[in-house]
Amino acid sequence: MEPELLERISARRAEVDEIEEQLAKQLAEVRAERDELVVAERVLERVGEQLADERAAAAPAPGQVGGRTMMLIPHRTPDTEETMLPPDYQHILAAVRQAAGPVMARQVGEMLGVDISVRAKLEPLRGKLVRLVDRGWLRKLPDGRFTTRL
């Protein structure tokens, strides 16, 4: 009986050794992947910091109004309300919203009572529309028409 028992023990030991080898290999792979993830996290943090720095540097400088520093046309954020815009910009947004679809600057001018036949009166309106696009309040389509953001 002893030789049979020794064979079973030897066979089981070989199985356990094989399992140990597989687990050691898996452990090495897991450790290598964990190290790669640590490096990826560091890179992501650095890129995020660089992007934040670039955005801060690219943000328009605030102006002085009534002795207080503020952005005349603030960037649209979830906590920024339309009422923070100057009244003429609020009227422009309302006109674009009331339109049946995307509109040209000329159409917005007509809705606001601007003399659109005079280029010198239409161009400042176009500049305001573009400023609203730059700050995230409106969208400008490739064909030059303006529409509200979704």
Side-chain angles (χ1 to χ4, degrees):
M1 219 192 293
E2 267 184 50
E4 187 178 301
L5 189 54
L6 282 175
E7 274 183 43
R8 285 178 51 198
I9 291 173
S10 292
R12 182 63 185 148
R13 183 177 214 165
E15 287 176 21
V16 169
D17 288 346
E18 188 176 321
I19 292 171
E20 180 184 23
E21 224 177 276
Q22 290 173 355
L23 289 174
K25 183 179 176 185
Q26 286 178 338
L27 181 60
E29 291 171 357
V30 167
R31 285 181 175 156
E33 185 174 352
R34 185 188 58 213
D35 292 344
E36 289 175 5
L37 290 172
V38 167
V39 170
E41 284 176 332
R42 286 185 194 145
V43 168
L44 189 59
E45 286 174 8
R46 286 183 190 148
V47 169
E49 290 169 2
Q50 288 174 347
L51 286 175
D53 291 346
E54 288 173 12
R55 283 188 189 122
Q64 290 281 329
V65 176
R68 290 182 23 210
T69 301
M70 64 182 290
M71 180 76 62
L72 294 178
I73 311 302
H75 287 275
R76 183 178 181 206
T77 60
D79 58 335
T80 307
E81 296 192 21
E82 203 172 295
T83 56
M84 297 174 83
L85 293 171
D88 51 339
Y89 285 85
Q90 291 179 35
H91 295 304
I92 292 169
L93 278 176
V96 173
R97 267 197 203 99
Q98 289 171 356
V103 290
M104 298 296 288
R106 181 175 285 289
Q107 293 169 287
V108 175
E110 288 173 350
M111 296 169 78
L112 296 175
V114 173
D115 184 2
I116 61 169
S117 65
V118 179
R119 184 179 176 101
K121 294 192 179 195
L122 185 60
E123 287 309 311
L125 173 63
R126 188 181 321 280
K128 289 178 180 180
L129 285 161
V130 169
R131 200 165 296 115
L132 287 169
V133 169
D134 291 343
R135 302 295 198 281
W137 294 95
L138 293 176
R139 266 185 352 156
K140 186 174 182 182
L141 301 177
D143 63 2
R145 295 180 301 160
F146 298 89
T147 186
T148 55
R149 280 232 171 264
L150 299 176

